[in-house]
Amino acid sequence: MNHLEPERIEEYAWGLLGGREEREVEAHLSECGECARLAERLRVEARKIGEALAEPLPAGLADRILGAPKPIAVPRRRLSPLAGAAAAVLFAALAGWAWREQAAAKDRVRELEARLAAMPKGPAEANPDELVSILDRLVDAEAERNLADLVASAPELDENENAALRRAVLATTDSTADMLDRWFAGEIDTDMILATDMAAGLDRDLAAALDAPEYRAVSEKLQRSSREAASGAARSLVRDLQDAAGLDTAQAAALETWLTDQCAWRRDLPFFPEAARKALVARHVAGGGVLRKDVKALLNEQQAVKVLAYMSRADEARKKMWVDLRKKS
Amino acid sequence: MTQPLESEHEKALLRDWARGNRASGEELLRAMLPGIFGLCLRMLRNEADAQDVAQETFARMCDEVRKGTEILNVKKWAATVAMNRAIDVTRRRGREVELEPEAFAAPEVEPVDSLETDVIRRWIDELPQRYRLVIHYHFFMGLKPREIAETMGLEDGTARVLLHRAVAALRKAAGQ
């Protein structure tokens, strides 16, 4: 009896043959003991090779990539902008809201930022309760101010649409604040899945809540706000480190553009105070190994080291501040 | 041992994730991680570098999902991204990218089915890079020759031949 070519039996054992070819081989194997034994050995070999290739994953790698929280000893303090009864009151107060509230919200932000700037530097000297209270209210006020801007840009929204817009934005800022809390507490290293979900989630919620023309108006405004927020934070960060890292004008501009592009898609950025925005943008550079190599491509070796060190310190300082606040609250 | 994802299941997870279901995204990434990390480790032979490249690959995937890019074959896409990134890392570190090994005159067909898996693993690690890769692509990640060819920038037929040669080289090394 003629035997099959060994390579053909290999391809059969490896699942590479289709329909007719596979049936032909099977027909032969059913009649030829020698080829059938070889096929069986090749199947076992293929299985063992697969098993041999399985590498143990480094501990925590999946969680680090996905941003899953590690177990914590310190109870998490939620920095959520608005909740429960407060939100209900605001929903009810929506009629005739826009122009009046924009001016009032801007004033509130300015007042709170001034109080924050006047406080003693560093969590050790500051009154922790007052600091926490101001920061909490600043997040709320910033969210309100930007929400007011957003609503003002789409004056055709009716009461239900206004309410839906508020819910969508506040759900997003809630999630970001939560995530920020966990970042600064060192519970998660990355937020890839969460951030992707958030960006898509806000757009999705708006599309579901608003009619097409209103959705387009609000969405465009949000896109512009996000880009402005990212650009402002990027400019501020680059200004802070330009001299220290010895960046020339072209490098500073390129770094600013790159940072902006990395974060402009974050629809949650406009709803956070400047300090938090800078932290989020710095995080993209400092966090994980992912973006470091891209930054390095823009700069020479010494500059890259200084920029990364600055971003990590900015990140670390804020992380420490939030951890200290949580312990004291 | 991780089984290669059924392609219909992974397509469904990807579709779900693109529609905003975070849990599907997590499930997909967790299922793909062993294959991609193993690939990076095979290419780079350095755990820290392999972790970085795996993380970058998944970051890219999240970006593309967020932008609404249609990814037709996610395993092949991820393998291609990871491989290209790993080549960049190798070049930047000044290491030589390994050349095509010489052809073997006659393929060995004496299978290594009687060897222990850790022995087989050690011999796989000794193989030239291209052979290690093609063995990983097929026997661990379940890619077919056409997918392997597209990932490695080869002709379909070349990928198939490479697979045969790789296994023959493994058997020859282990049999010595």
Side-chain angles (χ1 to χ4, degrees), chain B residues 25-46:
Chain B
E26 280 199 31
E27 190 185 331
L28 182 63
L29 292 202
R30 279 186 194 275
M32 291 183 67
L33 183 56
I36 297 298
F37 176 72
L39 171 65
C40 296
L41 202 54
R42 275 239 136 84
M43 281 218 49
L44 297 163
R45 311 248 225 190
N46 173 298

Side-chain angles (χ1 to χ4, degrees), chain A:
Chain A
M1 177 182 216
N2 284 335
H3 294 298
L4 292 175
E5 285 193 16
E7 278 176 359
R8 199 142 174 247
I9 306 180
E10 275 185 340
E11 300 215 340
Y12 168 74
W14 297 346
L16 300 185
L17 298 182
R20 190 173 59 87
E21 271 194 290
E22 194 178 22
R23 283 193 296 275
E24 281 173 7
V25 170
E26 277 170 352
H28 176 88
L29 295 182
S30 67
E31 293 169 359
C32 175
E34 199 174 315
C35 287
R37 273 188 295 280
L38 178 57
E40 182 52 28
R41 291 186 68 193
L42 290 169
R43 265 196 291 266
V44 170
E45 180 192 58
R47 180 178 52 78
K48 283 196 169 183
I49 290 176
E51 286 169 8
L53 289 164
E55 294 287 343
L57 290 177
L61 177 59
D63 287 345
R64 271 202 302 286
I65 286 178
L66 291 164
K70 303 177 205 124
I72 46 162
V74 181
R76 202 152 43 90
R77 194 188 135 265
R78 278 184 58 93
L79 191 68
S80 95
L82 294 161
V89 165
L90 279 158
F91 288 154
L94 277 173
W97 204 77
W99 295 107
R100 235 183 333 112
E101 286 305 315
Q102 251 186 316
K106 278 179 180 143
D107 287 342
R108 267 200 297 279
V109 168
R110 265 197 292 272
E111 184 224 324
L112 288 164
E113 279 178 341
R115 285 179 61 188
L116 196 59
M119 290 191 77
K121 300 288 178 267
E125 293 94 0
N127 177 333
D129 292 333
E130 197 186 355
L131 188 55
V132 163
S133 159
I134 291 179
L135 287 165
D136 245 351
R137 286 153 63 197
L138 188 53
V139 170
D140 290 355
E142 195 74 43
E144 287 299 327
R145 181 179 69 172
N146 287 287
L147 201 39
D149 283 350
L150 203 55
V151 168
S153 69
E156 305 307 318
L157 299 186
D158 64 32
E159 217 171 284
N160 288 333
E161 285 168 333
N162 259 320
L165 175 58
R166 279 191 84 72
R167 271 196 301 273
V169 167
L170 295 178
T172 297
T173 50
D174 231 22
S175 299
T176 302
D178 212 38
M179 190 176 61
L180 211 57
D181 216 17
R182 287 160 66 195
W183 258 348
F184 288 140
E187 293 170 35
I188 57 175
D189 288 333
T190 69
D191 72 331
M192 279 185 284
I193 293 271
L194 296 169
T196 305
D197 182 48
M198 212 172 307
L202 181 52
D203 277 342
R204 199 177 50 239
D205 291 347
L206 290 177
L210 307 172
D211 289 336
E214 284 86 7
Y215 165 70
R216 267 197 300 277
V218 168
S219 186
E220 275 166 22
K221 168 75 185 187
L222 252 184
Q223 265 181 30
R224 280 198 299 277
S225 299
S226 307
R227 188 144 198 109
E228 277 163 21
S231 168
R235 192 173 318 121
S236 183
L237 273 170
V238 171
R239 218 173 21 232
D240 288 348
L241 59 83
Q242 187 164 359
D243 287 341
L247 305 180
D248 64 37
T249 317
Q251 285 171 322
L255 185 58
E256 194 184 307
T257 305
W258 178 80
L259 282 171
T260 305
D261 288 343
Q262 291 301 308
C263 303
W265 58 271
R266 296 199 68 126
R267 297 289 174 262
D268 53 343
L269 261 185
F271 301 101
F272 281 89
E274 200 207 329
R277 289 183 205 170
K278 280 173 79 166
L280 284 167
V281 171
R283 196 98 215 3
H284 274 288
V285 178
V290 178
L291 301 172
R292 281 181 181 148
K293 296 173 173 77
D294 294 28
V295 173
K296 276 179 179 159
L298 292 170
L299 312 164
N300 69 39
E301 199 65 44
Q302 293 91 338
Q303 289 170 323
V305 165
K306 287 181 179 163
V307 166
L308 290 169
Y310 177 86
M311 297 293 186
S312 298
R313 274 200 305 276
D315 190 45
E316 281 304 316
R318 288 181 186 91
K319 196 190 280 191
K320 188 173 185 321
M321 182 179 80
W322 287 115
V323 169
D324 286 347
L325 283 175
R326 279 168 60 248
K327 282 181 189 161
K328 285 171 180 160
S329 66

